[in-house]
Amino acid sequence: MSTKTAAAHSSTSESVGRTTAAQYRRVRAFSEKIADSLAAEDCVIQSMPDVSPMRWHLAHTTWFFETFVLKAHKDYQVYDERFDFLFNSYYNTVGDQFPRDQRGLLSRPTVDQIFEYRRHVDDHLIALLRSRDITAGEISVVNLGLNHEQQHQELMLTDIKHVLSCNPLHPVYCESPIVASHGAAGGGSVSFDNGLYHVGHDGEGFAYDNESPRHQVYLEPFRLDSRLVTASQYLDFINDDGYATSRWWLSIGWQTVRDERWNAPLYWHQIDGEWFHFTLAGLQPIDPHAPVCHISYFEADAFARWAGGRLPTESEWEVASSRVPVEGPFADQLVDAGLCVHPSAQADSTDPESLTQTRDGIGLSQMFGTTWQWTSSPYTAYPGYAPPDGALGEYNGKFMCGQFVLRGGSCATPSDHVRRTYRNFFPPSARWQFSGMRLAHDLE
Amino acid sequence: MSTKTAAAHSSTSESVGRTTAAQYRRVRAFSEKIADSLAAEDCVIQSMPDVSPMRWHLAHTTWFFETFVLKAHKDYQVYDERFDFLFNSYYNTVGDQFPRDQRGLLSRPTVDQIFEYRRHVDDHLIALLRSRDITAGEISVVNLGLNHEQQHQELMLTDIKHVLSCNPLHPVYCESPIVASHGAAGGGSVSFDNGLYHVGHDGEGFAYDNESPRHQVYLEPFRLDSRLVTASQYLDFINDDGYATSRWWLSIGWQTVRDERWNAPLYWHQIDGEWFHFTLAGLQPIDPHAPVCHISYFEADAFARWAGGRLPTESEWEVASSRVPVEGPFADQLVDAGLCVHPSAQADSTDPESLTQTRDGIGLSQMFGTTWQWTSSPYTAYPGYAPPDGALGEYNGKFMCGQFVLRGGSCATPSDHVRRTYRNFFPPSARWQFSGMRLAHDLE
Amino acid sequence: MSTKTAAAHSSTSESVGRTTAAQYRRVRAFSEKIADSLAAEDCVIQSMPDVSPMRWHLAHTTWFFETFVLKAHKDYQVYDERFDFLFNSYYNTVGDQFPRDQRGLLSRPTVDQIFEYRRHVDDHLIALLRSRDITAGEISVVNLGLNHEQQHQELMLTDIKHVLSCNPLHPVYCESPIVASHGAAGGGSVSFDNGLYHVGHDGEGFAYDNESPRHQVYLEPFRLDSRLVTASQYLDFINDDGYATSRWWLSIGWQTVRDERWNAPLYWHQIDGEWFHFTLAGLQPIDPHAPVCHISYFEADAFARWAGGRLPTESEWEVASSRVPVEGPFADQLVDAGLCVHPSAQADSTDPESLTQTRDGIGLSQMFGTTWQWTSSPYTAYPGYAPPDGALGEYNGKFMCGQFVLRGGSCATPSDHVRRTYRNFFPPSARWQFSGMRLAHDLE
Amino acid sequence: MSTKTAAAHSSTSESVGRTTAAQYRRVRAFSEKIADSLAAEDCVIQSMPDVSPMRWHLAHTTWFFETFVLKAHKDYQVYDERFDFLFNSYYNTVGDQFPRDQRGLLSRPTVDQIFEYRRHVDDHLIALLRSRDITAGEISVVNLGLNHEQQHQELMLTDIKHVLSCNPLHPVYCESPIVASHGAAGGGSVSFDNGLYHVGHDGEGFAYDNESPRHQVYLEPFRLDSRLVTASQYLDFINDDGYATSRWWLSIGWQTVRDERWNAPLYWHQIDGEWFHFTLAGLQPIDPHAPVCHISYFEADAFARWAGGRLPTESEWEVASSRVPVEGPFADQLVDAGLCVHPSAQADSTDPESLTQTRDGIGLSQMFGTTWQWTSSPYTAYPGYAPPDGALGEYNGKFMCGQFVLRGGSCATPSDHVRRTYRNFFPPSARWQFSGMRLAHDLE
């Protein structure tokens, strides 16, 4: 590289660095906003092994930047050597980790001390982003770190919801009411032809490694429902003894239903014959027009079989999604507006004009930012997939077993974190995410 | 249907019935041959939840014919009403089942009494197959029952191996030595072009529902190794600290390795620095040229990553298999010849002429009847798959979660039970089947 | 010792040896008689960790004689070195043991092979007992071994009952009916003064180490009920919601009731409103006049509290028992007479003359050989207790924690094995022994 | 009762009420002092099922007064009806309880809110104590409540120690150093004659129900060591492979050692060959002259066997203790003096004059307020014991199973809470209390 080019490059990096610094401030601030209304006591609890305490999220996301960006700089003074053990999540390449299911045993560093840690890392990172030394590679890792933090922001919301839900006092995280829905428009579905389609990330903008390589899949013709399955539809399944009828269920799902005594989605409670659910705004009546959420893959799959449909594959979902713009509102917008993070029926059901029109005269709605949508696709590597070298290669690839792909983002996903090719994944029994479903159908 | 056609039809059925009766006798006899050398005590034990006692296998396969064929006949007298509860495996449609993981708590009916039960059902079933009343539908269910029994014959062999392996006396099931190998020919691999391929059962002959519908898949170009991974290759992985190096492993696989303290395939024991393994012929030295077997998906996947390859998808495997004839020897032939059921290196390694030639001058060997070959494909429904109605719809579909597909059959599979489109499936931690692996590679 | 005395001693030993040989034959034969009516399959099963398979009992009792008597003789050829690992129960001093809770994983040696092992050891042991070489020390260990085998004979009966009870076919061990009772005489109780009493073995005849030293205890005045609590009385407790009322229960007992969903004694089943129980003669209606048995300490203690009484201490029981002769019938007599081993109401309820008369005009009945009687005494060392040196010191002392003492022997105890000072002990949750209860009361 | 007497009585009650009010203030203040140096985060964690979070202790002790004293007053307004479910420990008579092992799932009410709850109850309770309405019965329950709170004060200290010990940062609860010891004086022991002794509470002052009735026991002659077993002596046991030698251990203790991989007392860590232990002052080197503590009954019993002694019975301990005054320092004094709560060797080892002289010229030291001393006595009812009626009858009696008695109080016990007849009890595997041991010996 000639000196001139290098200078130009450096100058570009500097400019990108400054843009990234702004983005960094914005993303980091949202994490702290999420924690803002909590008591210190709330931030300690790990209500089940899948959940991490708020204080851990706040520290771990900070440790990520410190470890993968700052530590490479010789003059950077590590904040506390012992944090590697405490706040490394699963990077075996970096070192041993405090047992994941025991994160709720720790009270120190306290929340205030973790905020100090955040300040320290933020100061150094922003200084670096503004310096001439910043490299494109580093900016790329900072971007990964920001996406990583956004991923944790969704977990902060779903984890604190789970934590608070364990308390018989039904604590309220945000006072805002959930807007009542105005009645849902009719359903309908959209058809797609068979053929070879391209799926996977095309290289524009940020994406995780697991969204690549872009590749071809052959699809049979299929139909996708215009909207998500609603609480009302799901209640029909419940009332038709869905949870007591083995034929709708996968064998291991049926086992789970009986072992866990499931009889409704997570957070649903029947009180004097009425259905309520625990939300971030406390205990609330079920809105029949809102999408059902907090269901497992097992429940989504069983409901689909009962309803005479099926779950879409992730390829089908992605192909279909290309007809629809990525539109919110998303988690950060909701929180900014003082609204409860919860999927709502309102917008699209009352305004048919808001639907993207397709060839059969009706569009797909609620594709993005409402509930995660279970697909029938186990989470596997795309053909030719190879994880990056080093510790960051542990980010995605090693989880490709025993999980199913969800698509579309939820109301708890921050806006920059929703995209068509995004592959979320959870075990089939997981229910504490904002996970719902949309039906697909075979076409003859 | 006119009387004449009906008569012709009946006559055809009668003829098919007689053929089926012969097949029935042959298959049923092999189950009893498997149990022949065992003590009554051996037939009671359930050494882990996945294993069923021999007496249960002998009874359950009989109950299958009684329940799905004989009971439909009004004049058939059920042998013992209580057997529905004892010997139903997982057909919720039929009724409740004695808990699967408690099958080892039962000693009655005794083995002798179960043989009497087999006689009773055999007599009635053969009488039915020879009668004019037999229908095509019934013959079809009998055929399903025979395939079902063959599936259990493999389990009888793998289950009794597991049972005996728990005994520090290392009991010998069959005295026959395992033939020593004569050295393996060099490796090599076979390349395949990208393109749209058809996979799934084409309708000729028997197949399970999960092998249909036949459908198209788009494959990227790939290479498949000519032979299975050998014990010798696997030892290199072990000696390179494969079981102690987290980077080769899926996250849940690594967890399993540590929880279960795995450091070698199931049945392997290191004694004074030498490797032995427990076989149906007792404790034997490892043959380095024989295919490695009794490995889990986790181990197959980790080995592949270490070796710089990957597991094939089930589509890749099936497409490749079309170049190779389905050839044994299989379990029944081995047992008839007094040979130990164990994968051997011998035949193909010494006679390169036996390899099917392909366009690149080298063929694929050990595709069938040696070890089951783990694929990277989670076990899911083919596009358009629908299970049959009724209890038999529970045969396959409800297990499509959390399992991986294995292909090719093993030395413990009876001959009629091996075919190109056959989809075996087990959880990724399962090791007690004769499960091994073959490497695939991406092509640029 | 002078030659003359030595000769006399030897002659005495020889004589005692011959007597012991006869006793040996008799005791050993009864073990085999117990197994006589069983199928080989029955002898394999370990239905819960506390239960051992019949084949294990038959081998372990034999191993005891081989290990602690025969192996000390240089010219004795050990039958199979590997049996040490398989058939050692808990003697760490002797060596490692096959895991106790996995005894049901073993089918070899088979029952027939274990009978051969018994023959081998019997032949050598009887030869030794008849030889001039036999020492008083050896005779003492043989006597311990015979008591040990008798202890296992009771376990064989209670273990096989538990094994068979798991089978929904309700297999019958012995066809003999349980004799119906003729109605129970009224209750009554016997009073005892306060004072210092001696308890513990006085040195006459065989006793286990834990029955010594004989020592003094101070007792407050107390009353002991004349008879055991009956099924009828226990039903009153059940019908008064005894199992649903926390106040009667110890905290850990209440936890157990809820965890295990206990609502009646072990083996009791309510069928169409009638109470039945599983016995060695199969499923039988409850005899209301028979003593309740198969209850835990928790149940005995809760019943006592509900009934306004309490359990006696073991000292109270032993002091009281001195007024009553040790009379059967016992297990060997029942089996010889072709009777089912089960506590019965008959003898004492119809013949009041059979009761031992005491100063207050009514006696104590059912003190021996009916059901084991829970006492309120945790199993601890007597003052000054010290276990013997060597492996046999592990016989009793190391279990003095977490168990309660039962007294009196049961219908499943062989006759020589019942005595006043005998201390049986089981954890408070154990129910599979023939364990019942008798009430005591404070006296003002 | 005449008016005059009633007035006198009332007047007496009033006076006692005022005294009790002062005592109430003092005891309640100490609980809050214990929590004073903690972060809110520390107060949430339940590090094992036996541990309760600090916030729970603070609320539960308050709930006790509200429930058993204030609620009986019609005009008392319950602070929050829902606290019955949250803060009831185990009084089934009062109602259901939030699951004990899930107390760490709750963050609300927060610590601050719980302090408000304390204020509310304190205000009402003190007003009641000062009023004319106060009855002797109420004062008695208040006294029980104060003893109850003192019991919890010890648990607050031992629980927070356990909580903090889980954190690899080794947080420091109090900065005060543990005073180094000045070398221990020689050992020695004190002999006691056989005979009938009285034990149990004699009715003077407060005692729990389980300390009554006072009754006679017959003791054989015995010797009791003058001082507690030291860390140095215990290290000899460790270094003699005590944790690897089965013969010293009870069977269930040996099982526990292997299951839990115990190789030293709780909180002990060997770092580079040196022994440290976690204390409330952080990680500290072991003081060899200090009493060993944080050992289970299993370890105390095994050490005693190894050392050729035994544990005393609780009667022996109580009889011996009558020769020694109840002297501290105790928990409240330590905390007031800014000292770490930890047993120390100092006082008695340097000043032999401080020892109580007995007939054989040497006294018993460290009998009170140092470490709890395991006795060999299972926790059972004294002869004639009956729990009080109502909910408070659940205080002690229902735990009389599966636990062993400890005597003497520890450095974590508040001063008023130590007395000769006090019977503490824990399961034999418990180690998180300040539990140590003193040897007893049989006398010939």
Side-chain angles (χ1 to χ4, degrees), chain C residues 28-50:
Chain C
R28 298 279 289 170
F30 184 49
S31 294
E32 300 182 10
K33 180 156 195 175
I34 290 173
D36 209 38
S37 66
L38 295 173
E41 288 90 335
D42 301 325
C43 299
V44 176
I45 293 171
Q46 177 169 40
S47 49
M48 64 171 172
D50 287 333

Side-chain angles (χ1 to χ4, degrees), chain A residues 122-270:
Chain A
D122 287 355
D123 291 349
H124 284 79
L125 205 97
I126 284 171
L128 175 64
L129 283 171
R130 287 177 173 164
S131 81
R132 294 173 158 254
D133 294 343
I134 187 79
T135 66
E138 284 171 331
I139 288 173
S140 164
V141 177
V142 170
N143 267 325
L144 177 63
L146 292 174
N147 277 274
H148 170 259
E149 183 138 356
Q150 288 179 315
Q151 212 171 350
H152 277 277
Q153 286 164 355
E154 176 149 7
L155 294 173
M156 288 179 203
L157 288 163
T158 54
D159 287 0
I160 199 66
K161 180 171 181 177
H162 192 269
V163 165
L164 297 177
S165 79
C166 297
N167 195 319
L169 304 182
H170 302 304
V172 168
Y173 170 76
C174 57
E175 288 289 349
S176 61
I178 298 172
V179 182
S181 68
H182 301 254
S189 63
V190 183
S191 296
F192 296 86
D193 292 333
N194 67 325
L196 268 176
Y197 290 92
H198 280 89
V199 294
H201 190 250
D202 63 7
E204 292 291 308
F206 178 85
Y208 288 124
D209 57 359
N210 63 7
E211 300 169 46
S212 294
R214 191 162 172 84
H215 63 284
Q216 293 182 80
V217 293
Y218 180 82
L219 300 183
E220 305 285 344
F222 69 100
R223 280 191 300 123
L224 201 62
D225 277 5
S226 293
R227 48 184 63 252
L228 298 177
V229 171
T230 63
S232 167
Q233 291 174 287
Y234 200 82
L235 273 165
D236 290 345
F237 170 66
I238 293 175
N239 294 331
D240 194 31
D241 279 339
Y243 281 89
T245 309
S246 67
R247 59 193 283 234
W248 308 127
W249 298 84
L250 288 164
S251 179
I252 188 176
W254 182 239
Q255 192 62 44
T256 306
V257 163
R258 287 190 298 181
D259 288 352
E260 306 292 327
R261 304 182 186 215
W262 286 353
N263 63 358
L266 181 64
Y267 300 134
W268 285 36
H269 304 278
Q270 202 170 19

Side-chain angles (χ1 to χ4, degrees), chain A residues 10 38 47 109 121 128 130 157 168 188 198 250 261 282 286 429 444:
Chain A
S10 166
L38 296 172
S47 49
V121 168
L128 175 64
R130 287 177 173 164
L157 288 163
H198 280 89
L250 288 164
R261 304 182 186 215
I286 295 285
S429 60
E444 327 260 322

Side-chain angles (χ1 to χ4, degrees), chain A residues 318-335:
Chain A
E318 186 171 329
V319 165
S321 80
S322 67
R323 307 212 184 155
V324 187
V326 178
E327 283 180 347
F330 301 113
D332 36 356
Q333 297 158 349
L334 292 172
V335 171

Side-chain angles (χ1 to χ4, degrees), chain C residues 214-228:
Chain C
R214 190 162 173 83
H215 62 286
Q216 293 182 78
V217 293
Y218 180 81
L219 300 182
E220 304 284 344
F222 68 100
R223 282 191 298 122
L224 201 61
D225 276 5
S226 292
R227 47 185 63 253
L228 299 177

Side-chain angles (χ1 to χ4, degrees), chain D residues 27-39:
Chain D
V27 169
R28 296 280 289 170
F30 183 49
S31 295
E32 299 182 10
K33 180 156 197 177
I34 290 173
D36 209 38
S37 66
L38 295 173

